[in-house]
Every structure is written in structure tokens, then in C-alpha cells.
Amino acid sequence: MGEPWRDRARRAVEWNWRRPAGDPRPHYVICGRDSLAYYVAEALLASDVPAGGARVTVVVPERHRSNGADVATLKGVRVFRSDRLDEATFRAANLPGAAGLALLDQDDVGNLHAALCAQAVDKNVRQVLRMFNGTLADGVRTLLKAPVEVLSDAEMAAPAFVAAALGEVDPTHFQHRGRTLRVARRADVREQDVVCALADLRDPQRGVLLPADQSAADLVLAEATGQPPGTEVAARRLARARRRPVAVFMRAVRGFATRKIGIAMMLVLAVVAILGALIAQTEDHISPAEALYVTLVTTLSGADPDPDKSGGAQVMQVVLNLAGLALIPLITAVVVDGIVNARLALHTGRLQPHRAGHVVVVGLGNVGTRVMAQLREYDVEVVAIDKDPEPRGGGLARQLGVPLIVGDAARPETLEAASVAACQALVIVSTDDVANLEAALAARDTRADLRVVLRLFENDFAERVEEAFGLGVSRSVSYLAAPAFTGALTERAVIATIPVGRHALPVAEVPVAAGSELDGRPLGAVFREGQVRVIARTPAGGGRTIWWKDLDLRQVIFAGDRLTVVARRAGLEWLTRQSAPPAPPERDVPTFRSGTPLRGTPPPSGASGVPATFGVAALPEQATGEHPAPPAGGNGGPPAGPAPEDGTPGPHPAAHPN
């Protein structure tokens, strides 16, 4: 923790950070403390639209310390610290006039309150809210008068975890220009339905995104047909396997009592069955039904001794009586044990019945609740584990009939209660990276070949854990959701985000501005190997969209055309720059003599009177004390009017004051 005087000095510098006069860069305010805020700020800083990137202010709590990606480490970010998101905070963060505001805390009500405060400061600022509650999100869209976009990172990331749990590709699908497109394996779709190649994943360690050789890619974007996606097929297969009558009956028998009682019961019943068969063979003139009757009566109530019977019949009678003495207490034990287990399950949340072929979800937070709900939509059996007796998704779990085990997923008894050793997959999505890693390691000790899907907040940490420990699939929710939030904040037409491993490929529609680098160039100039792939072109004026089958690289791009592309983030940034209108010509900076500005020119300060040397480079005379010679035709300023026909610049108004 820093010393108080250092904190005061840092805040003083932050409060004096202002937009330099004439700065054309858009200003964005981000309120958040986790990795999502980091990735959104990083993407905004990497943007070069319209010129020189964006100015980003991130509001975090006063004593915030990040365990993952720290937004304060990003070069060019202004970090403003405040424990309250109220009007005073937004004004201090220079929200008035900003291009956008992102509210990325995990508190839905807190984000709504902050949005209302921001609307009071600037009713025209574009707002992007992070919300989990769908009903509240619908209300926010109608309540706020400002331009608003409400997104759920949990809803966007849940399909990736579900697909990884079922061993399938991420079930990404979206609609655009009257067509439905989805991500699939090449082997699962017809060749004529393939839109473009997404990745070559034959070597998991060296996957190639948007490969030049499209025929070599095994992961493609295809037009959706009547065939269900792979994730749904895998879920149905798993559900059908769970419904096998014999398996269901045996699972119920196994789950009703403990293992030892079950073994003893089966042994006694086997003895009774064998002796009953022998009685049927030794007795004369007795039918099978009568043999069953004699066996049950002898076992349950005993029989009168009969000295006239043969020695073998007497032995069988004695053994049956002994078996009857053991059978009645065993029946009582089974009933009592089942009742006790049921009551323990109600009071402690621990399930005694043995399960197989199910999916275990650890952590019923925002993401875990979405994963559980989607698995149940596919009719996949789910068992949930959470340390909190009443987690966020507890009510939905009871509504869906999902058993909830309250306990630490890193403890062997908790994993045993959830039958992790016999489950289909283990999805660990709590909000604690350390607890997630401990649970994954403990589960691997239980079963070495268990499929583990692990959530880690930091994408780099997730990548290193996956390589070092070999725990299976690791995902960062923030990294998967950040492109959609960034696109909504910058008003880019990001249609969807396709997760491929630990990478994300945004699908966007980019308009071509008049006078841009792409205006008048052939369509082939847009294609970049491994970076940008065009899948559709909509001509200016709202003409019919030309899809991938009819695209020709020789087609000329005109101003007003809209290009639909699948790209990596760097490729999308490049394409946005190429399609943006040309930057306006820069005005010459006025010169000052002896520290006194010329009449009619503003002082070198920002919006709040801060010296220009704080936000922009100092003028030569401010840095060295020298006076550069003014350009011909004036004292350093632009011409006041049209130039004479001979081409000599016109006079500058500051040189001839009235």
C-alpha cells in the first residue's frame, strides 16, 4: 500500500489531466475493476480511429488492488479513483462531451444507478452496461433516454463453456442480412454451405486462424441448414444414454442405500433364489408358483419342523429360515438408510445417490448459472457445487431440479458426493482463480482422464495453466466478451464474436467512407492472410447483399459500401482505419515571442487552464527558449482567406490587428 502523500500526489496529477485544445481523439470513460475493464481499455487504446487512438479514463475504487490484469499498467490510461459513481465523480472524470461510457461492475443495481447519474451529467453520452438480470436489462433499455446498450458477459461466454464440457466447438450462431450463420466442424456441414475457413486446429499447440488455404481448415463458418449444431447433437446423445432403462434402474438401486447394505441384500436374495429353485426340483407334484409361495412363506415366517422330510429338505428349510432372519433387518436398514440420506440431502445439500454421465458445475454465479441453464435446456443432467448455501443461481437450480451440494469443490468428500469420478465433465466457473485451480487439481487426482473446463480471469494465466498443468480447457470470460463491449462502446457494427480456443474473432460490418483508402480500390485489397476475411458486401444505397459465393476480388469498392468481415482484432482495426474518412488537415501551431502570445491566439492550455506541456509536446521556444522563424506569408498561423492567384499565402489576421 502506497504512503498517503504519494496517493495525494497521484490524485493531484490525475485531476489535472485534461483534453488538450483541439484534440480530435474520442474520450471514453470506463467504470470497472476486473479484467473486462482491462481488455476493453486495451482495445480502445489500440484503436486508431479517427486519429491517434482514443483517450481512456478508468474509474476504480479508491483502494482497489487487482489480482489479475491491472488497468493501471496500460500506457495512456488515466486512472481515476473514487468509491462512488455519482454525478461529482462523472464530472471529475470529464464525462461531459465523452464519446462513450462503459459501466462494467458486476452489480446490476449499482450499474443502473450509475447510468442514471451519468444521464444527469450528459444525457447524450452513449452508455454500455454490463448486466446479468435479463428482465432488468429490458427495463433499462426503455428507462434511459440516452443511447444505451445492455450486454451480459455471462450470456456471451456460457456457450463456450457448454461446448467445451460436451467436447464440441463453441456453438456460435448469428443472423445477418437475412441469413443465419454458425460455427461448425468442416466434417459436420456440406461443402457448399461453408462461408469461410476460421481455423486449422489439427495441431492444438499451433492453431492457425483464418488460414490462406481454406481447404485445410477444420473449423469453418457455415450457413445454417436444417441439421442441428454439434453441441445440440452431443447433448442429445448424452441425454439418451442417461435414459437407458436398465441403467436408470440400477442407478436408482445403487443410490437408495449404501454400498455395503446393497451387497448384503444381494447376497441374501441370491441364497433365497437358489434354495427356492432347489425346493421346486425336490418336491414332487409342485408347480413353480407353489414353489415360490413355499419359499417366501418359509423365508419370511418360518415353517413347522417336519421330521419326515429328507435330510436335504431339512437343511434347505433351516437355511431359508436363517436367510429370513437376515432379510427382514436388511429391509429395515435399507428403508431407514434411504430416509436418513434424504433428510441429510435436504439439510446439508450433500447427495448420496451415485450418478454417472452427468456434468458437474462448480460455482453458481453469473456464468455458472448460465451454463447450468443451457445444459438443462439440452436435457443434460447437472449437479451443482457452491460454497454459498444460497448462491445467485440457487433459486433457478431448485426450479430446474438441479441438486446443489454446499461445500468446497477442492475437498474429496465434496467431489465424491457429486460423483465426479463418473461424470461426463467438470465445469469450474467460480469467481476465485485460486479456488478454481485447487478444485481442478483435486478432481484430476480423483480421475486422471476427466474432462475439466476451467475459468480463469486472466487470459495469459489461463494459457500458461493449460500448457503447464494439462488440466484441459481454460477460458477467460472477460477476454471472450471484451470485443462485443468494445464494439458497442465505439458504435461499431460488431455482429458477433467467435471464440476459437483462447482467441476471439469478431464478425463486423464496416462502412466505407468517401475519400478513404478503400474508396475506389478492388475488393482484393481488403483480404489479409490471417487477419481479415470478407464474407459479404452490401452496395451503397441499400442494394442486394453480395455473399461469399458471388464475391469477386476484382469488384471495385465505392463510398457507402458496407463490408461484412471475419477478422482478428488487429485486422479489424486496420480495416476500420482504411475505411475511415481522411483526417482533416492539421492547423499550424501559433508561435509565441518572449513567452507572450500574439494577439488573437489562445494561450497554450487545456480545457482547465493546465499548461499545454502536460498533455502535448512543448513548443520549441518553450523547450529551448529559441524563436523559430515564421513561415512565409505570416507569423505561423493559417491563411485568413483564399490565397491570391499567384499562389502566395494571404495575410494572417494576427499580423495586422485592427
Side-chain angles (χ1 to χ4, degrees):
M1 183 180 295
E3 297 180 5
W5 69 270
R6 291 183 178 178
D7 290 339
R8 288 196 297 270
R10 171 184 46 74
R11 287 196 296 270
V13 172
E14 292 173 352
W15 271 81
N16 284 302
W17 190 92
R18 292 292 186 268
R19 174 179 177 173
D23 191 346
R25 298 178 300 165
H27 178 215
Y28 297 97
V29 179
I30 300 174
C31 303
R33 67 186 74 183
D34 59 10
S35 298
L36 181 59
Y38 175 90
Y39 290 123
V40 172
E42 183 184 43
L44 291 174
L45 291 174
S47 172
D48 286 338
V49 181
R55 296 181 301 117
V56 179
T57 300
V58 180
V59 181
V60 298
E62 185 69 32
R63 295 295 178 182
H64 170 62
R65 294 294 183 270
S66 176
N67 295 327
D70 189 359
V71 71
T73 60
L74 292 175
K75 185 178 180 180
V77 169
R78 176 201 178 194
V79 178
F80 182 83
R81 299 185 181 273
S82 175
D83 291 330
R84 291 180 57 84
L85 296 179
D86 51 15
E87 296 184 29
T89 299
F90 287 129
R91 289 193 176 93
N94 288 342
L95 181 64
L101 168 67
L103 301 172
L104 305 181
D105 281 336
Q106 295 194 17
D107 181 5
D108 289 359
V109 177
N111 287 341
L112 175 58
H113 179 259
L116 294 174
C117 293
Q119 182 177 260
V121 174
D122 187 346
K123 64 180 180 180
N124 296 320
V125 66
R126 180 174 181 80
Q127 299 188 32
V128 179
L129 278 70
R130 175 188 192 180
M131 281 197 169
F132 172 79
N133 190 309
T135 304
L136 185 60
D138 293 337
V140 168
R141 293 185 181 96
T142 58
L143 178 65
L144 293 180
K145 300 178 181 179
V148 61
E149 186 78 21
V150 183
L151 302 175
S152 170
D153 58 331
E155 185 176 0
M156 288 183 284
F161 287 94
V162 172
L166 300 177
E168 290 292 328
V169 299
D170 297 333
T172 304
H173 65 278
F174 58 91
Q175 292 183 345
H176 179 60
R177 300 286 180 181
R179 301 206 180 190
T180 302
L181 307 179
R182 66 183 177 94
V183 178
R185 292 191 177 96
R186 181 182 289 274
D188 297 337
V189 296
R190 300 180 303 176
E191 190 63 31
Q192 60 266 32
D193 293 333
V194 176
V195 177
C196 75
L198 295 178
D200 182 359
L201 302 177
R202 289 174 294 181
D203 184 359
Q205 302 299 328
R206 301 180 61 182
V208 180
L209 299 181
L210 301 177
D213 184 7
Q214 298 213 42
S215 61
D218 51 358
L219 188 66
V220 298
L221 180 67
E223 186 174 7
T225 59
Q227 181 181 2
T231 304
E232 187 174 350
V233 173
R236 290 178 180 177
R237 189 184 305 116
L238 181 60
R240 283 197 301 268
R242 181 172 56 87
R243 290 197 191 99
R244 292 174 182 172
V246 177
V248 172
F249 175 75
M250 294 304 298
R251 191 183 310 157
V253 171
R254 289 197 306 266
F256 191 71
T258 61
R259 182 181 180 86
K260 293 181 179 180
I261 294 178
I263 293 175
M265 176 70 75
M266 286 188 292
L267 289 176
V268 173
L269 291 177
V271 170
V272 173
I274 293 173
L275 293 178
L278 292 176
I279 289 176
Q281 292 181 357
T282 57
E283 294 287 345
D284 296 333
H285 307 292
I286 186 171
S287 65
E290 292 174 340
L292 177 62
Y293 168 73
V294 172
T295 302
L296 291 178
V297 171
T298 305
T299 303
L300 298 176
S301 63
D304 296 332
D306 187 358
D308 297 331
K309 287 184 177 181
S310 63
Q314 291 178 355
V315 170
M316 287 188 291
Q317 186 179 15
V318 171
V319 174
L320 277 177
N321 287 332
L322 293 176
L325 293 176
L327 182 60
I328 294 176
L330 283 174
I331 294 175
T332 305
V334 168
V335 174
V336 173
D337 192 54
I339 295 175
V340 170
N341 286 340
R343 296 202 173 193
L344 287 176
L346 289 174
H347 288 284
T348 66
R350 295 186 176 276
L351 301 179
Q352 299 299 328
H354 177 79
R355 300 174 184 271
H358 57 293
V359 176
V360 179
V361 178
V362 178
L364 287 187
N366 292 348
V367 179
T369 302
R370 296 284 187 185
V371 171
M372 174 190 66
Q374 189 166 355
L375 287 171
R376 290 303 300 139
E377 288 178 4
Y378 289 146
D379 203 19
V380 175
E381 187 178 10
V382 180
V383 175
I385 300 176
D386 201 291
K387 293 181 179 179
D388 187 358
E390 291 295 333
R392 177 186 287 269
L396 182 60
R398 288 188 292 269
Q399 181 180 348
L400 297 177
V402 174
L404 173 60
I405 299 176
V406 180
D408 186 358
R411 300 180 65 86
E413 56 268 24
T414 304
L415 298 177
E416 182 180 358
S419 302
V420 169
C423 71
Q424 173 80 9
L426 175 65
V427 184
I428 309 175
V429 287
S430 74
T431 57
D432 187 345
D433 281 0
V434 176
N436 290 349
L437 190 56
E438 289 178 349
L441 294 173
R444 274 299 175 87
D445 290 339
T446 303
R447 179 178 151 198
D449 63 341
L450 177 63
R451 180 185 297 143
V452 178
V453 184
L454 183 64
R455 173 191 182 181
L456 296 172
F457 276 81
E458 174 57 39
N459 187 63
D460 181 68
F461 182 47
E463 180 178 355
R464 296 179 186 276
V465 165
E466 186 172 331
E467 293 177 355
F469 293 94
L471 290 175
V473 181
S474 57
R475 292 283 187 268
S476 170
V477 174
S478 301
Y479 189 80
L480 293 173
F485 280 88
T486 306
L489 192 61
T490 58
E491 295 187 80
R492 291 181 186 168
V494 177
I495 304 166
T497 301
I498 301 174
V500 181
R502 291 181 297 271
H503 304 281
L505 297 176
V507 181
E509 189 177 60
V510 180
V512 179
S516 64
E517 294 290 336
L518 293 180
D519 189 6
R521 298 192 64 187
L523 191 62
V526 180
F527 285 86
R528 299 188 73 187
E529 180 181 346
Q531 293 294 329
V532 180
R533 184 85 62 190
V534 181
I535 63 174
R537 169 175 170 254
T538 304
R544 183 179 62 87
T545 300
I546 304 173
W547 286 94
W548 75 98
K549 295 179 181 179
D550 302 320
L551 288 178
D552 189 343
L553 299 182
R554 296 170 296 181
Q555 294 175 357
V556 178
I557 303 173
F558 298 102
D561 288 356
R562 305 183 73 86
L563 304 178
T564 304
V565 299
V566 180
R568 303 192 70 172
R569 192 182 69 178
L572 182 58
E573 296 293 346
W574 170 83
L575 179 60
T576 310
R577 292 195 301 269
Q578 295 293 308
S579 60
E586 297 183 0
R587 297 170 59 102
D588 294 333
V589 180
T591 54
F592 300 87
R593 302 184 182 280
S594 302
T596 303
L598 297 175
R599 187 179 304 175
T601 59
S605 61
S608 61
V610 181
T613 53
F614 185 84
V616 297
L619 298 176
E621 64 188 48
Q622 290 174 308
T624 62
E626 299 176 358
H627 304 284
N635 294 310
E645 294 181 0
D646 59 0
T648 58
H652 191 273
H656 304 280
N658 293 327

